Amino acid sequence: MTVRIGIIGTGAIGRDHARRINQVLAGGKVVALSDVNRESAKAVRAAIALDAEIFQTGEDLIASPLVDAVLVTSWGATHEQYVLAAIAAGKPCFCEKPLATTADGARRIVDAEVAHGKRLVQVGFMRRYDTGYLALKEAVTSRTGAPIMVHAAHRNPTVPAQYITPMAIHDTLIHEIDVFRWLLDDDYVSARVLFPRRAARSHGKLRDPQIVVLETAKGVVIDVEIFVNCHYGYDIQCEVVGEDGIARLPEPIAVQMRLNATLQNPILTDWKDRFIASYDVELQDFLKAAAQGTASGPTSWDGYVAAITSDACVTAQEREGEAVAITLPARPALYN
Ligand code: NAP
């Protein structure tokens, strides 16, 4: 079966997902597009040579009998309304992070999906599909012994001027928030944020870098350095310290060179390159489940927990140095 896909939001990632569905993956075809900027949808249709209808609104696209399943890749603040509409229509829905910009919004999605009685939503936490993280999880599960600590870093070369301190959580750390729950099979109980001196490339509304310390229910302490103006590259680091040994996230493959009396390893500079293969695998997973009228992979519950944890981390930024408790409601059986 070919799943007929409608994409809402044809910016950077919507366009890239349209390309991979039509040109890289099996089992899906983009048949519909919608964007508040209709010209953007038209440009994507032309650039990828899509045989797709352009809809005035995301809701019209979701309601169309042309569309079997939906990708929500619009601006974050619009995700909730489209995911709720997809659930109401009973259509599988892949939603880029964040599932919703508030924990209450994510909870409404969880409640709607639970009321529907079957999974329909996959959240775009693509690191769970990355071969490096999968290998790390295998090592942590079967070889290092029980985890005790995680040391991690999320470094970007630069961010735009409108990037402000809370975005380091909602836009950047959110990937670590999800992937460490999955990696450790654990949940968070508290968050704390420490700020070293402001780096020279920070600006008035951005305190950069920062260190987020998360504690889990099993007592693992995770420190994550977020440094979004590090200048030298896009660099994701993760080391898990266990009872018997240490496991490190593999570096991306790069040709090592001996040149001018130095040993050199290139470092990526664009986030799009770092997890490019995992975007393919996550969407292939979505297409496979959507063909059965359901969803797999990261759940609405994962998106909800990420939203609760993000909110606690932003509060921890405001109360620098203080531990902020993270309390999760009971998990509905649909997500067990
Ligand atoms: P983008 O380039 O700004 O694209 C978003 C598109 O959605 C724009 O064309 C925007 O139009 C459109 N839009 C805004 N409001 C809309 C609405 N109500 N209905 C339909 N379309 C609407 O952003 P992006 O980088 O593609 O990011 C999109 C989402 O993907 C964000 O939530 C982001 O966090 C997520 N993302 C995830 C990853 C990942 O690694 N998983 C990576 C990148 C992005 P205008 O430009 O006219 O506003």
Side-chain angles (χ1 to χ4, degrees), residues 8-15 17 34-37 40-41 57-58 72-79 81-82 94 96-98 124-126 170-171 175 271-272 275 279 282:
I8 304 171
T10 54
I13 199 119
R15 178 193 184 110
H17 286 340
S34 177
D35 195 293
V36 279
N37 177 357
S40 157
T57 69
V72 177
T73 50
S74 48
W75 185 47
T78 65
H79 292 182
Q81 73 190 73
Y82 295 135
F94 174 91
E96 268 304 341
K97 58 87 185 163
F125 288 132
M126 76 296 174
H170 287 299
D171 284 18
H175 284 296
W271 60 265
K272 290 189 209 76
F275 293 107
Y279 292 117
E282 71 168 354

Side-chain angles (χ1 to χ4, degrees), residues 8 34 72 142 162 180 185 194 209 227 249 254 274 281 292 309:
I8 304 171
S34 177
V72 177
S142 60
Q162 63 269 27
F180 294 148
D185 191 21
L194 302 170
F227 190 5
L249 182 69
R274 177 65 180 83
V281 189
Q292 307 301 318
T309 308

Side-chain angles (χ1 to χ4, degrees), residues 53-324:
E53 187 168 326
I54 295 177
F55 286 82
Q56 196 62 33
T57 69
E59 282 82 0
D60 292 343
L61 176 149
I62 291 165
S64 168
L66 278 182
V67 171
D68 300 318
V70 180
L71 259 60
V72 177
T73 50
S74 48
W75 185 47
T78 65
H79 292 182
E80 180 189 346
Q81 73 190 73
Y82 295 135
V83 177
L84 287 174
I87 294 171
K91 296 188 179 180
C93 175
F94 174 91
C95 179
E96 268 304 341
K97 58 87 185 163
L99 178 61
T101 45
T102 64
D104 286 347
R107 179 79 224 195
R108 284 189 282 275
I109 291 171
V110 164
D111 290 344
E113 195 176 34
V114 168
H116 179 76
K118 184 173 79 168
R119 275 202 61 195
L120 285 176
V121 180
Q122 177 179 340
V123 182
F125 288 132
M126 76 296 174
R127 286 197 193 180
R128 296 183 182 206
Y129 294 92
D130 173 66
T131 50
Y133 275 107
L134 285 163
L136 184 62
K137 186 168 172 67
E138 194 279 324
V140 168
T141 308
S142 60
R143 285 180 283 156
T144 58
I148 304 166
M149 293 177 281
V150 178
H151 307 299
H154 188 145
R155 305 190 186 108
N156 293 56
T158 184
V159 287
Q162 63 269 27
Y163 186 107
I164 57 176
T165 305
M167 291 170 75
I169 307 296
H170 287 299
D171 284 18
T172 301
L173 184 77
I174 191 153
H175 284 296
E176 273 80 14
I177 287 174
D178 179 70
V179 87
F180 294 148
R181 281 183 64 236
W182 166 84
L183 183 67
L184 303 172
D185 191 21
D186 207 346
D187 269 316
Y188 305 116
V189 294
S190 76
R192 187 184 319 214
V193 176
L194 302 170
F195 291 99
R197 78 163 175 80
R198 210 182 274 254
R201 291 185 181 85
S202 298
H203 56 75
K205 292 186 172 169
L206 174 63
R207 290 187 72 178
D208 184 47
Q210 56 194 282
I211 296 170
V212 179
V213 180
L214 293 161
E215 192 185 349
T216 75
K218 293 177 188 167
V220 178
V221 173
I222 303 166
D223 58 89
V224 191
E225 170 200 315
I226 310 169
F227 190 5
V228 293
N229 281 299
C230 80
H231 196 59
Y232 72 86
Y234 182 73
D235 197 8
I236 302 299
Q237 297 290 325
C238 178
E239 181 180 89
V240 181
V241 180
E243 294 283 353
D244 304 322
I246 293 176
R248 273 191 83 85
L249 182 69
E251 294 285 347
I253 292 173
V255 173
Q256 194 180 68
M257 290 177 292
R258 285 167 165 78
L259 278 177
N260 302 325
T262 59
L263 192 57
Q264 299 178 4
N265 285 301
I267 294 176
L268 295 171
T269 54
D270 190 335
W271 60 265
K272 290 189 209 76
D273 299 328
R274 177 65 180 83
F275 293 107
I276 191 159
S278 58
Y279 292 117
D280 289 349
V281 189
E282 71 168 354
L283 275 186
Q284 190 65 74
D285 199 28
F286 176 70
L287 293 175
K288 191 173 159 205
Q292 307 301 318
T294 184
S296 65
T299 64
S300 299
W301 180 256
D302 296 320
Y304 176 45
V305 172
I308 292 174
T309 308
S310 296
D311 288 351
C313 290
V314 171
T315 304
Q317 285 180 327
E318 292 157 4
R319 299 185 196 159
E320 182 178 350
E322 202 181 301
V324 173

